[in-house]
Amino acid sequence: MQTLLKHFQITDSFWTRYEHLIKETVIPYQEKALHDQIPNAEKSHAIANFQAAAEYLKTGIKPTDFYGMVFQDSDVAKWLEAVSYTLVLFPDAELEARADEIIELVGSAQQADGYLDTYFTLNDDKAHFSNLHEAHELYCAGHMMEAAVAYYESTGKRSLLDIMLRVTDCIYEHFITQKAEGYPGHPEVELALMRMYQASHEQKCLALAEHFINIRGIDPHFYEKERKKIDWTVWNNDPTNYEYEQNYAPVREQDRATGHAVRAVYLYTGMAMLAQETKDSALLDACKRLWNSITEEQMYVTGGIGSTCLGEAFTTAYHLPNDTAYAETCASIGLIFFARRMLELDMDSRYTNVMERALYNCVLAGMQLNGTRFFYVNPLEVEPGVSGIIPTHKHTLPERPMWFGCACCPPNVARLLSSIAEYAWSETDDTLYSHLYLAGDLRLEQKKATIHVETEYPYHGTIKYKIEPADSSAEFTLAIRIPDWSSHTDVRINDVPIFKGNHLYDANKTNVYADIKYHQGYLYIHRSFLKDDEIEVNMDMTPYRIYANAKISADSGRVAVARGPLVYCAEGVDNDDDVFSLHADPYSAIDVTHYDANILHGVVRMELNGYRIQNMKSLYSLSRPERTACRIKLIPYYAWGNRGLNQMRVWLPESSES
Amino acid sequence: MQTLLKHFQITDSFWTRYEHLIKETVIPYQEKALHDQIPNAEKSHAIANFQAAAEYLKTGIKPTDFYGMVFQDSDVAKWLEAVSYTLVLFPDAELEARADEIIELVGSAQQADGYLDTYFTLNDDKAHFSNLHEAHELYCAGHMMEAAVAYYESTGKRSLLDIMLRVTDCIYEHFITQKAEGYPGHPEVELALMRMYQASHEQKCLALAEHFINIRGIDPHFYEKERKKIDWTVWNNDPTNYEYEQNYAPVREQDRATGHAVRAVYLYTGMAMLAQETKDSALLDACKRLWNSITEEQMYVTGGIGSTCLGEAFTTAYHLPNDTAYAETCASIGLIFFARRMLELDMDSRYTNVMERALYNCVLAGMQLNGTRFFYVNPLEVEPGVSGIIPTHKHTLPERPMWFGCACCPPNVARLLSSIAEYAWSETDDTLYSHLYLAGDLRLEQKKATIHVETEYPYHGTIKYKIEPADSSAEFTLAIRIPDWSSHTDVRINDVPIFKGNHLYDANKTNVYADIKYHQGYLYIHRSFLKDDEIEVNMDMTPYRIYANAKISADSGRVAVARGPLVYCAEGVDNDDDVFSLHADPYSAIDVTHYDANILHGVVRMELNGYRIQNMKSLYSLSRPERTACRIKLIPYYAWGNRGLNQMRVWLPESSES
């Protein structure tokens, strides 16, 4: 697979807005935050930690102590990674110069043996790699490796890549040459090493990724033994919580997605990358089981994962409470990473459908529409006065806060959205895959063609792919995902139907000079494309209802409403400040408003008939409360929480009578 | 008000079974537990602590260290209190002799200045009353005072009462004479001192109760100051959590029931007792506000209170999650105490209706039907695999465990159920109040009559009061509560209707030689009762549906089903092991089975029509899942969890169509 980030110019209004937001708001804000230049915000000290470590290495004098979370370095890494992608979209010599300067600083904080981690450098009474369980050195290294690969691929500059290859040498020396025991508490370095390997072809990267994946869970008691050897802990995490750490079994034997959700999906992403590289079918099978465990048993309808704030973790199959959900933004981002890598192993739209669900719902909801505030936690129901306040709901904030002491989600959103083209497209020697639907121009070097995509997705369901061969024709396969939510998708080539409903359209009778097949949710069109060839996809944008499996007790008797890839929700501000007394009529038509660019930065809203349970004074009543017919007004879930403190509910009770 | 415990002989099958259970199973089991004679059970050491303290005071040598919770002494006190009531019901010289022995032991653990608390006696590096916030000395003293009053009133023996009057002297010396600052972290001593005062007429008891109530919350920072003076804590509780400790304001200014639910209702009970004694209208007003805050905003339909396990506490108005409820058995017992004392201040059935709801649902559910296992926590929905297992649901056990390290609930159930007559009846000079409906014979000394009550309540709605005057007639008022759940209650005197529907029946035309009025839910019948006079009450035992206020988001679109005072629930064992896919038909008749003495120790079960949502393989579906008509089978909530590991749900989604 080749990355297409550098070859795709986004033009649609939906994504262009996001790319500008990342470039103009998120990246500058985060840059200031890393430099502690935001008045009244919680101090980051992330750049200062690197400065202090560099100074200490040079002079033996610490200008300041380390400050922040043990993984503070990773904030700098994620920012550098987002900057890398943004420089592709919006070349900016000044920003690039500032990134170079930070990379130079990172390099000057590297020790002679290649070791790089400001927490340990500034706390040099603590031995390197002595607390793999909690101290996140390999996690921070992983994020800086990802930044290194991104910066190298975007700018061609090897500076950070070379730094991180020296870090790889250092890790290799410790774990492979010196045979040190152990594996990372927070997986991340596995997938990062695989990216390093793909970018640098350095065998040590592959060997290390394979090592960490292979030994995980072989000795589930490693963290207990480690704890006994040291006299400090970071969080006093329980070293016997094997499910939390995904070390309850060797990874090839795991069959349940467990524990800290971000750690889980980062691990599984690394496993999928390794499985692809090594053609390891046992590892692939484990990845498929873990994928199913998440998406068939433990995923919110928004693509959120992690049902409990306690450990930011998975709980158990079908336990998906709406008001106490954790559904961390980073976990859904990790799920998208996992989906992307599974696609490379097994081109099946089951992965892409989940990727799209997580992206357009949970992940986008993680950021305020103006790019200045972020949710860690993405509940499916909030109630001011309860959410964010009472002890069991402290984590489900009803409004996005500014910046976090633990600032993992904002830069993670930035790096994902600024590289969205990598998820929208992928390419093999003979096939171009269209996974997500973004308008823009895609230049295909090897296939010698440009594809011009027109769409107003996600609010309109028409996608037009216009092909411009560089020569008189260009022969290749264009594979287009047919989304699972569209009950009826039509595809035409040059106005000739080739796919109708959800089946190939009488292909024998249609002479389109193309070889067409439909496999695992993708429509494959092989043709010698000619100038002005146009493939038009029309999805069914009729709003639809979603019902949950009856085993999800929190959703019993409830319905969610959606359109296209977007799950909708009811907010108090549109519904007389009371969404909890609303019941949806199961037989009502769902009416769609015109797209309004002035509301919530551009949305289509929806309305349906329902009933409002009349308020009673008492807590309980023996008579059925009066119901009055009403209209229930819905907005896309990703746009919730942008109009002040407000009730919100995704799953509405259904009731057919007044 | 006079206590009628000694004058009422229970005869009905429902309560007789419970009284025998307490006498024959619960008290012997708990006695063995206190003596550490139960194999494989968690050690209590409660008696051993008293023995060790006594030995230490006598010889200066500690035979053992203190073991158990800081409030371990209170288990002995609650057992003695339950024994006191049981001795009235079932005189038993051997049991009484064993109680006398334990009382003697308690006395021998008392210090020269009257101080009594084995935790502090055995940990004599800790100063008495130095950690009021957490160390529960006054709580333990309160429970032993309650036992002392009960034992004195039941047996006439002053032994424990005298011990506890010396304890009172010691507390008085410290807090009143020496003017020590502070008030109890866990309220209890206030209500106990009021009982001591009523039994002994010792003014110091009243003065101390008044003192502790009056200073609470005057200085909300007391616990913070206290913490700074000592170098130890019990649980490291947060001394600035003013809501948790009910010290967020002086008690007369409080308007929200907050914090630890048991502490709250014990405090409010003491406040109500003091308000009655001192005719303090500001305190009465506060009690009414706090009562309303609980029962109009924060009470489960089962009479459970305390919505979160975090602090075993109230959360906020209308936040009543079913699957993560705390609803501690002890908290509902405390609510019954509070109701009883409010009735003495304000004879209104609003208190009695709640008392009955809490008793017949949450409290009875706290004990296994065979008396050997107990719930602390009484959720309204359990799901094996989730409840008791996942991190947020560790507290909502789906089956009752044997005995607890913190054993507060089992003896609390025992003392309440063994004194149930005190709640069923109360008496003033001219009026006898019938609050709860128990069959039996009540001897009225001053009113010179016996009342013979016949009923098969709670499964039948007919109550017959037969009056037998000692002389030719007996003139007094019999006041009978008309329950709020009965939509139509008829009352007749000697077959002449006096109350019909829910109103007085054409009283002018009916010559029954009685003065009849209906006030605040009580029907007052004043008459010179003659031999064989019979008052017959017929309640409407038609099953009924309960709807929750629309502000309770957890109950949106759901219904609970009840009959008489009993709330019903669906258990998996009766419903094909799956209650979460059931929807109740809102228009179905609710069918009632015959009373079956062989099932769950005697219950009436119910059935109604509903729909079962067919299982789907996927987590979500875009088509409405198939529904098949089915019967939903219900049992009384108090009897749930008696047939193995099992799903359970009180609030069922409602749906009118297949």
Side-chain angles (χ1 to χ4, degrees):
Chain A
M1 296 270 171
Q2 290 107 37
T3 164
L4 291 167
L5 179 67
K6 294 179 85 165
H7 303 108
F8 186 60
Q9 179 74 43
I10 298 172
T11 56
D12 71 58
S13 60
F14 189 85
W15 284 106
T16 300
R17 203 187 76 78
Y18 276 109
E19 302 306 5
H20 279 278
L21 212 53
I22 300 300
K23 156 77 175 165
E24 287 150 24
T25 303
V26 180
I27 285 180
Y29 185 90
Q30 294 181 355
E31 187 177 0
K32 284 206 189 85
L34 295 174
H35 285 93
D36 301 313
Q37 291 165 350
I38 306 222
N40 307 319
E42 217 172 317
K43 190 167 73 165
S44 158
H45 210 260
I47 294 293
N49 287 335
F50 277 101
Q51 287 165 338
E55 181 79 12
Y56 183 46
L57 291 177
K58 195 170 161 193
T59 66
I61 297 160
K62 282 183 217 173
T64 62
D65 284 336
F66 179 90
Y67 175 90
M69 307 295 272
V70 70
F71 50 84
Q72 209 74 357
D73 288 1
S74 66
D75 287 352
V76 175
K78 284 193 238 177
W79 181 82
L80 281 170
E81 190 181 347
V83 166
S84 304
Y85 305 132
T86 300
L87 288 173
V88 175
L89 302 172
F90 307 101
D92 178 335
E94 281 182 35
L95 177 61
E96 188 170 329
R98 294 202 302 282
D100 285 338
E101 209 173 289
I102 288 178
I103 289 167
E104 197 182 327
L105 172 64
V106 168
S108 63
Q110 185 166 39
Q111 301 193 15
D113 67 350
Y115 185 85
L116 174 68
D117 186 290
T118 71
Y119 175 80
F120 279 87
T121 298
L122 292 169
N123 288 289
D124 53 5
D125 55 325
K126 292 176 176 144
H128 299 168
F129 308 119
S130 61
N131 186 349
L132 296 179
H133 183 215
E134 299 181 315
H136 282 33
E137 284 154 297
L138 294 168
Y139 170 85
C140 289
H143 274 299
M144 201 60 86
M145 288 177 189
E146 289 204 86
V149 171
Y151 202 69
Y152 168 63
E153 290 179 344
S154 298
T155 65
K157 292 179 182 171
R158 288 189 61 97
S159 48
L160 190 55
L161 188 67
D162 288 338
I163 291 168
M164 296 317 295
L165 284 169
R166 287 195 296 275
V167 171
T168 305
D169 287 340
C170 167
I171 298 172
Y172 190 92
E173 172 69 19
H174 185 79
F175 289 95
I176 307 290
T177 312
Q178 303 293 335
K179 297 190 165 60
E181 274 191 285
Y183 41 88
H186 193 316
E188 152 67 21
V189 78
E190 301 85 346
L191 76 88
L193 285 163
M194 289 306 302
R195 291 185 71 179
M196 288 282 285
Y197 173 68
Q198 289 166 356
S200 71
H201 308 293
E202 170 56 62
Q203 287 296 329
K204 280 183 182 175
C205 298
L206 176 61
L208 262 178
E210 196 161 14
H211 170 74
F212 286 134
I213 287 172
N214 286 350
I215 62 166
R216 185 169 211 92
I218 298 283
D219 176 7
H221 305 294
F222 167 73
Y223 297 131
E224 295 151 74
K225 292 190 273 181
E226 182 187 71
R227 176 72 56 89
K228 285 189 189 130
K229 289 187 198 153
I230 52 176
D231 58 358
W232 60 286
T233 89
V234 180
W235 293 291
N236 206 21
N237 278 358
D238 177 5
T240 68
N241 195 341
Y242 314 118
E243 301 220 325
Y244 178 81
E245 300 287 356
Q246 297 91 32
N247 66 345
Y248 64 88
V251 297
R252 285 173 188 73
E253 293 167 26
Q254 295 192 14
D255 53 5
R256 290 166 294 119
T258 66
H260 188 273
V262 174
R263 297 178 194 217
V265 286
Y266 282 12
L267 171 65
Y268 308 154
T269 302
M271 286 163 60
M273 294 173 83
L274 180 64
Q276 199 208 5
E277 188 63 42
T278 59
K279 314 295 176 214
D280 180 334
S281 64
L283 197 55
L284 169 60
D285 289 345
C287 288
K288 286 186 176 177
R289 286 195 304 272
L290 294 163
W291 175 267
N292 292 345
S293 170
I294 296 173
T295 61
E296 294 180 2
E297 296 184 338
Q298 304 193 76
M299 183 181 72
Y300 288 94
V301 73
T302 54
I305 55 174
S307 299
T308 179
C309 68
L310 298 174
E312 312 178 320
F314 291 108
T315 57
T316 192
Y318 306 107
H319 178 250
L320 293 161
N322 294 305
D323 60 336
T324 57
Y326 202 72
E328 185 179 340
T329 309
C330 286
S332 285
I333 291 171
L335 181 62
I336 290 170
F337 296 162
F338 186 22
R340 178 186 178 199
R341 301 307 175 174
M342 288 307 288
L343 277 178
E344 294 178 9
L345 279 162
D346 176 21
M347 189 58 67
D348 188 323
S349 69
R350 62 200 303 259
Y351 306 110
T352 337
N353 290 327
V354 167
M355 177 194 281
E356 183 180 68
R357 179 180 296 283
L359 173 66
Y360 279 94
N361 298 289
C362 188
V363 171
L364 290 187
M367 183 166 71
Q368 194 84 351
L369 288 172
N370 67 11
T372 61
R373 292 168 173 264
F374 293 86
F375 278 136
Y376 260 48
V377 170
N378 296 282
L380 281 76
E381 182 166 309
V382 300
E383 188 177 349
V386 172
S387 308
I389 291 180
I390 71 167
T392 46
H393 291 60
K394 289 258 190 238
H395 61 293
T396 56
L397 303 178
E399 290 190 290
R400 292 171 188 82
M402 291 284 286
W403 183 260
F404 290 88
C406 166
C408 69
C409 294
N412 232 350
V413 171
R415 69 179 178 133
L416 177 74
L417 299 192
S418 57
S419 61
I420 196 65
E422 303 236 33
Y423 301 84
W425 301 99
S426 71
E427 193 180 13
T428 59
D429 285 347
D430 56 4
T431 306
L432 174 72
Y433 290 94
S434 173
H435 304 296
L436 306 175
Y437 317 110
L438 279 59
D441 293 302
L442 180 68
R443 286 175 294 104
L444 296 172
E445 289 181 354
Q446 182 207 5
K447 297 182 179 66
K448 295 186 180 170
T450 293
I451 299 187
H452 174 72
V453 188
E454 285 177 17
T455 183
E456 289 297 328
Y457 200 80
Y459 288 110
H460 292 87
T462 301
I463 329 277
K464 290 182 186 169
Y465 299 82
K466 290 189 185 166
I467 291 118
E468 304 292 337
D471 306 325
S472 61
S473 72
E475 184 177 351
F476 62 92
T477 303
L478 174 61
I480 301 171
R481 177 177 66 103
I482 307 297
D484 60 344
W485 53 259
S486 171
S487 66
H488 186 102
T489 302
D490 291 351
V491 184
R492 294 163 174 258
I493 299 183
N494 300 329
D495 230 25
V496 178
I498 57 168
F499 191 85
K500 208 158 183 158
N502 278 324
H503 301 280
L504 290 183
Y505 181 70
D506 208 3
N508 294 330
K509 288 191 193 156
T510 311
N511 188 351
V512 291
Y513 302 103
D515 186 15
I516 298 168
K517 67 174 178 164
Y518 181 54
H519 181 62
Q520 295 192 158
Y522 279 80
L523 182 66
Y524 291 80
I525 305 164
H526 182 87
R527 172 171 157 90
S528 267
F529 289 104
L530 305 176
K531 185 168 159 52
D532 293 334
D533 268 359
E534 181 174 290
I535 297 168
E536 181 174 324
V537 179
N538 277 293
M539 300 162 187
D540 182 357
M541 294 302 280
T542 311
Y544 56 92
R545 291 174 168 83
I546 305 177
Y547 294 89
N549 191 300
K551 291 177 189 161
I552 304 178
S553 57
D555 299 337
S556 298
R558 301 204 197 176
V559 65
V561 179
R563 181 172 178 268
L566 303 177
V567 173
Y568 277 62
C569 67
E571 274 202 303
V573 65
D574 298 316
N575 292 283
D576 297 331
D577 286 329
D578 178 9
V579 302
F580 297 118
S581 67
L582 294 175
H583 285 216
D585 181 337
Y587 303 113
S588 166
I590 304 169
D591 296 326
V592 173
T593 66
H594 286 290
Y595 176 82
D596 189 335
N598 296 316
I599 291 177
L600 294 164
H601 292 267
V603 290
V604 167
R605 287 168 295 158
M606 302 205 287
E607 288 190 21
L608 75 163
N609 290 333
Y611 304 97
R612 185 177 289 287
I613 309 298
Q614 289 307 292
N615 205 3
M616 47 175 154
K617 224 188 133 199
S618 60
L619 201 51
Y620 303 105
S621 167
L622 306 196
S623 49
R624 201 160 201 239
E626 291 288 308
R627 295 156 179 237
T628 48
C630 71
R631 297 286 283 171
I632 299 177
K633 296 180 182 175
L634 305 172
I635 62 158
Y637 174 79
Y638 78 78
W640 85 272
N642 278 278
R643 294 172 296 173
L645 197 62
N646 206 355
Q647 293 181 351
M648 185 276 289
R649 179 173 253 187
V650 170
W651 289 97
L652 299 169
E654 228 186 25
S655 175
S656 62
E657 7 102 57
S658 57
Chain B
M1 296 271 170
Q2 290 106 37
T3 163
L4 291 168
L5 178 66
K6 294 177 84 167
H7 301 108
F8 185 61
Q9 179 74 43
I10 298 173
T11 57
D12 71 57
S13 60
F14 189 85
W15 285 106
T16 300
R17 202 186 78 78
Y18 276 109
E19 302 305 6
H20 279 277
L21 212 53
I22 300 300
K23 157 75 177 166
E24 288 150 25
T25 303
V26 180
I27 285 181
Y29 185 89
Q30 294 182 354
E31 188 177 359
K32 284 207 190 85
L34 295 173
H35 285 92
D36 301 313
Q37 291 165 350
I38 307 224
N40 307 321
E42 218 173 315
K43 189 166 72 164
S44 159
H45 210 260
I47 293 294
N49 287 334
F50 277 102
Q51 287 165 337
E55 182 78 11
Y56 183 46
L57 291 176
K58 196 170 159 193
T59 65
I61 298 161
K62 281 183 218 173
T64 61
D65 284 335
F66 179 90
Y67 174 88
M69 307 294 272
V70 70
F71 50 84
Q72 207 75 356
D73 288 2
S74 66
D75 286 352
V76 176
K78 283 192 237 176
W79 181 82
L80 281 170
E81 191 181 346
V83 166
S84 305
Y85 305 133
T86 299
L87 288 174
V88 174
L89 302 172
F90 307 100
D92 178 335
E94 279 181 35
L95 176 61
E96 187 169 330
R98 294 203 303 281
D100 285 338
E101 210 173 288
I102 288 177
I103 289 168
E104 198 182 326
L105 172 64
V106 168
S108 63
Q110 185 167 38
Q111 301 192 15
D113 66 349
Y115 185 85
L116 175 67
D117 187 289
T118 71
Y119 175 79
F120 279 88
T121 299
L122 292 170
N123 288 289
D124 54 4
D125 54 325
K126 292 176 175 144
H128 299 168
F129 308 120
S130 61
N131 186 349
L132 296 179
H133 183 215
E134 299 180 315
H136 282 32
E137 285 153 296
L138 294 168
Y139 169 85
C140 289
H143 274 300
M144 200 61 85
M145 288 177 189
E146 290 204 86
V149 171
Y151 203 69
Y152 168 61
E153 290 180 343
S154 298
T155 64
K157 292 179 183 169
R158 288 189 61 97
S159 49
L160 190 55
L161 188 67
D162 288 337
I163 292 168
M164 296 316 295
L165 284 169
R166 287 195 296 277
V167 172
T168 306
D169 287 341
C170 167
I171 298 172
Y172 189 92
E173 172 68 20
H174 184 79
F175 288 96
I176 307 292
T177 312
Q178 304 292 336
K179 297 190 166 61
E181 274 190 286
Y183 40 87
H186 193 317
E188 153 66 22
V189 78
E190 302 84 347
L191 76 88
L193 284 162
M194 289 306 301
R195 290 185 72 179
M196 287 284 285
Y197 173 68
Q198 289 165 356
S200 70
H201 308 292
E202 171 55 62
Q203 288 296 327
K204 280 183 181 173
C205 297
L206 178 61
L208 264 179
E210 196 162 14
H211 171 74
F212 286 133
I213 288 171
N214 286 350
I215 62 166
R216 184 169 212 93
I218 297 284
D219 176 8
H221 305 292
F222 168 72
Y223 298 130
E224 295 152 74
K225 292 190 274 183
E226 183 185 70
R227 176 70 59 89
K228 285 187 190 132
K229 288 187 198 152
I230 51 177
D231 58 358
W232 60 285
T233 88
V234 181
W235 293 290
N236 207 20
N237 278 357
D238 177 5
T240 67
N241 195 341
Y242 314 118
E243 301 219 325
Y244 178 81
E245 300 287 355
Q246 297 90 32
N247 66 345
Y248 64 88
V251 296
R252 284 173 189 73
E253 294 167 27
Q254 295 192 13
D255 53 6
R256 289 166 294 119
T258 65
H260 188 272
V262 173
R263 297 178 194 218
V265 286
Y266 281 12
L267 172 65
Y268 308 155
T269 301
M271 287 163 60
M273 294 174 83
L274 180 65
Q276 199 208 7
E277 189 62 44
T278 59
K279 314 295 177 213
D280 181 333
S281 65
L283 198 54
L284 170 60
D285 289 347
C287 288
K288 286 186 176 177
R289 287 195 303 273
L290 293 163
W291 176 267
N292 292 346
S293 170
I294 296 173
T295 61
E296 295 180 4
E297 295 184 338
Q298 303 192 77
M299 184 179 71
Y300 288 94
V301 72
T302 55
I305 55 175
S307 300
T308 179
C309 67
L310 298 173
E312 310 179 320
F314 291 109
T315 57
T316 191
Y318 306 107
H319 177 249
L320 293 161
N322 294 306
D323 60 336
T324 57
Y326 202 71
E328 185 179 340
T329 309
C330 286
S332 285
I333 291 171
L335 182 62
I336 290 170
F337 297 161
F338 186 23
R340 179 186 177 197
R341 302 305 175 174
M342 288 307 288
L343 276 177
E344 294 178 9
L345 280 162
D346 177 21
M347 189 58 67
D348 189 322
S349 68
R350 63 200 302 259
Y351 306 110
T352 339
N353 290 328
V354 167
M355 178 194 282
E356 184 180 66
R357 178 179 296 281
L359 174 65
Y360 280 94
N361 298 289
C362 188
V363 172
L364 290 188
M367 183 165 72
Q368 193 84 350
L369 288 172
N370 66 11
T372 60
R373 292 166 173 266
F374 294 85
F375 277 137
Y376 259 47
V377 170
N378 296 282
L380 281 77
E381 183 166 309
V382 301
E383 189 177 349
V386 172
S387 308
I389 291 179
I390 71 167
T392 47
H393 293 59
K394 289 256 190 238
H395 61 293
T396 56
L397 303 178
E399 289 190 290
R400 293 170 187 84
M402 292 284 287
W403 184 259
F404 290 90
C406 167
C408 69
C409 294
N412 232 349
V413 171
R415 70 179 179 133
L416 176 74
L417 298 192
S418 57
S419 62
I420 196 64
E422 302 236 33
Y423 302 84
W425 302 99
S426 72
E427 193 180 14
T428 60
D429 285 348
D430 56 5
T431 305
L432 173 71
Y433 291 93
S434 173
H435 303 298
L436 306 175
Y437 317 110
L438 280 60
D441 294 302
L442 180 68
R443 285 175 295 101
L444 297 171
E445 288 180 354
Q446 183 205 4
K447 296 183 179 66
K448 294 186 180 168
T450 292
I451 299 187
H452 174 72
V453 188
E454 285 176 17
T455 184
E456 290 296 327
Y457 200 80
Y459 287 110
H460 292 88
T462 300
I463 330 277
K464 290 181 185 170
Y465 299 82
K466 289 186 184 168
I467 292 121
E468 302 292 338
D471 305 326
S472 61
S473 73
E475 184 177 352
F476 63 92
T477 302
L478 174 61
I480 301 171
R481 177 176 67 102
I482 307 296
D484 60 343
W485 52 261
S486 170
S487 66
H488 185 102
T489 302
D490 290 353
V491 184
R492 294 161 174 260
I493 300 183
N494 300 330
D495 230 24
V496 177
I498 57 170
F499 191 86
K500 209 158 183 157
N502 278 324
H503 300 282
L504 290 182
Y505 181 68
D506 208 3
N508 293 330
K509 287 192 193 153
T510 309
N511 187 351
V512 290
Y513 301 103
D515 187 14
I516 298 168
K517 67 173 179 166
Y518 181 55
H519 182 62
Q520 295 192 157
Y522 280 80
L523 182 68
Y524 291 81
I525 305 164
H526 181 87
R527 171 172 160 90
S528 266
F529 288 102
L530 305 175
K531 185 169 158 47
D532 293 334
D533 269 359
E534 182 175 290
I535 296 167
E536 182 174 324
V537 180
N538 277 295
M539 300 161 187
D540 183 355
M541 294 302 281
T542 311
Y544 55 92
R545 290 175 169 80
I546 305 176
Y547 294 90
N549 191 302
K551 291 177 188 159
I552 305 178
S553 57
D555 299 337
S556 299
R558 301 205 197 176
V559 65
V561 179
R563 180 171 177 267
L566 304 178
V567 174
Y568 277 62
C569 67
E571 275 202 302
V573 65
D574 299 315
N575 292 282
D576 297 331
D577 285 329
D578 178 8
V579 301
F580 297 118
S581 67
L582 294 174
H583 285 217
D585 180 338
Y587 303 113
S588 166
I590 304 170
D591 297 325
V592 173
T593 65
H594 287 288
Y595 176 81
D596 189 335
N598 296 317
I599 291 176
L600 294 165
H601 292 267
V603 290
V604 167
R605 288 168 294 157
M606 303 204 288
E607 289 190 20
L608 76 163
N609 291 333
Y611 304 97
R612 185 178 289 287
I613 309 299
Q614 289 308 292
N615 204 4
M616 48 175 155
K617 222 188 135 200
S618 61
L619 201 51
Y620 303 105
S621 166
L622 305 196
S623 50
R624 201 160 201 240
E626 291 289 308
R627 295 158 179 235
T628 49
C630 70
R631 297 286 283 171
I632 299 177
K633 296 179 182 177
L634 305 172
I635 61 157
Y637 174 79
Y638 78 78
W640 84 271
N642 278 278
R643 294 173 296 172
L645 196 63
N646 206 354
Q647 294 181 351
M648 186 276 290
R649 177 174 256 187
V650 170
W651 289 97
L652 300 169
E654 229 185 25
S655 175
S656 62
E657 8 101 57
S658 57

